[in-house]
Amino acid sequence: MKNLKITLLLVGLFLFPIIGLANDVIKDDPEQNISETEFQTRRLEMVEKQIRKRGIRDRVILDSFRKVPRHRFVPEDLKYLAYNDHPLPIGEAQTISQPYIVAFMTEALNLSRSDKILEIGTGSGYQAAILGELCDSVFTIEIIASLGNRAKLLLEELDYQNIKVKVGDGYLGWEAYAPFDAIIVTCAPTRVPSNLKNQLKEGGRMIIPVGSSYSQNLVLLRKANNQLLEEKILPVLFVPMVDPSGKKY
Ligand code: SAH
């Protein structure tokens, strides 16, 4: 099972540049006039083939993926690829993660309806929307202002009143709303930031990719008796977590 997941992730990563190239060739794709009904059909198929069949069975999580319109979170000219099995560029050299990875990280957090969540790396806002469907409140931080502001507008338009977006440095966490029941980080620092550890509630969970630009592991941390238990789950490749000058943490 673990091998399967690794293979799928790697396939996702390697497909990404190929799809990027392919997109240059088929810019005037007639599929650009896709109806909402067709997007919904593709979305349900994505949940079935890419998420449920790969072992994510929590009905509430699956329903959140059936509901959130992923195509709204990708650039206009890539909408026709929104439900495919790979990450996509969202501008500023950043990406929206592969649907399965979003689902995998969401499930790993073992969320409850009453949870208050911190997300570092808002990007498109897609992961935040999924969390918004599942939890009481979501606080999400994005360091690139243009992405953070765009996500904020879209989440408002989609009426996610329980999601608060901030443009800032997620390395510091969000002290004003701490502590959090769960923290999800979607950019990779070389080590787990201590502020994030401190802002986790007793009994809380954090999922975070940790490592260099070329080699990272998804790590799950649990706070119990004020100690952090750490478990490496699987190798991944996320964009690096950077400071305001662009230097990697
Ligand atoms: N969760 C996103 C995917 C984000 S990609 C989605 O669902 O679309 C990772 C994001 O982390 C990028 O947008 C990047 O700009 C951001 N990032 C990198 N370093 C950061 C930092 N220190 N604080 C906040 N965001 C950061």
Side-chain angles (χ1 to χ4, degrees):
M1 188 60 196
K2 194 169 173 189
N3 278 341
L4 172 68
K5 280 176 188 156
I6 294 170
T7 313
L8 290 171
L9 279 173
L10 292 177
V11 167
L13 290 167
F14 290 125
L15 267 181
F16 169 47
I18 299 168
I19 302 277
L21 284 178
N23 184 49
D24 285 341
V25 185
I26 45 175
K27 267 247 151 39
D28 296 319
D29 194 290
E31 282 205 280
Q32 290 298 323
N33 286 323
I34 301 166
S35 68
E36 284 301 313
T37 320
E38 172 58 20
F39 277 132
Q40 182 172 10
T41 305
R42 293 185 187 189
R43 188 156 66 243
L44 299 182
E45 196 177 318
M46 169 194 86
V47 172
E48 194 51 33
K49 292 193 177 151
Q50 300 173 36
I51 303 180
R52 205 190 68 78
K53 280 225 171 101
R54 289 180 188 154
I56 290 168
R57 297 290 155 83
D58 185 311
R59 198 184 47 78
V60 185
I61 293 183
L62 294 175
D63 279 346
S64 71
F65 281 85
R66 289 186 181 109
K67 185 169 170 205
V68 178
R70 183 173 162 94
H71 61 285
R72 300 290 308 274
F73 293 83
V74 307
E76 198 63 36
D77 62 337
L78 297 181
K79 275 192 167 154
Y80 73 107
L81 298 171
Y83 296 100
N84 288 7
D85 196 9
H86 49 75
L88 283 171
I90 53 170
E92 309 284 352
Q94 307 302 324
T95 55
I96 177 174
S97 306
Q98 179 189 9
Y100 175 70
I101 246 302
V102 179
F104 181 84
M105 290 174 81
T106 304
E107 185 181 60
L109 287 174
N110 197 15
L111 300 169
S112 299
R113 179 58 69 187
S114 58
D115 281 352
K116 178 168 63 163
I117 317 291
L118 174 67
E119 181 194 26
I120 309 303
T122 313
S124 68
Y126 179 67
Q127 172 80 70
I130 293 288
L131 296 170
E133 291 289 336
L134 299 168
C135 300
D136 176 71
S137 46
V138 181
F139 297 85
T140 179
I141 308 177
E142 171 56 53
I143 202 159
I144 300 178
S146 60
L147 293 180
N149 291 332
R150 193 171 68 199
K152 185 171 190 289
L153 280 178
L154 177 59
L155 291 166
E156 274 167 19
E157 199 184 314
L158 297 173
D159 206 23
Y160 283 102
Q161 294 176 15
N162 60 344
I163 303 178
K164 213 171 162 65
V165 182
K166 172 165 102 168
V167 171
D169 186 357
Y171 186 80
L172 307 170
W174 201 334
E175 189 61 50
Y177 294 101
F180 300 94
D181 297 288
I183 300 180
I184 178 167
V185 184
T186 62
C187 46
T190 46
R191 52 180 60 199
V192 183
S194 56
N195 281 306
L196 299 185
K197 290 182 179 172
N198 295 337
Q199 292 178 18
L200 198 57
K201 239 182 226 176
E202 174 66 23
R205 293 85 53 207
M206 176 175 1
I207 186 123
I208 177 167
V210 183
S212 70
S213 302
Y214 311 102
S215 157
Q216 300 157 10
N217 276 295
L218 208 49
V219 176
L220 180 65
L221 296 99
R222 289 191 202 87
K223 200 181 249 189
N225 304 321
N226 222 15
Q227 290 210 320
L228 279 165
L229 305 169
E230 226 176 285
E231 189 191 340
K232 274 188 195 167
I233 316 191
L234 80 157
V236 284
L237 210 49
F238 279 79
V239 297
M241 181 185 278
V242 294
D243 72 11
S245 74
K247 201 166 139 273
K248 190 173 171 358
Y249 274 120

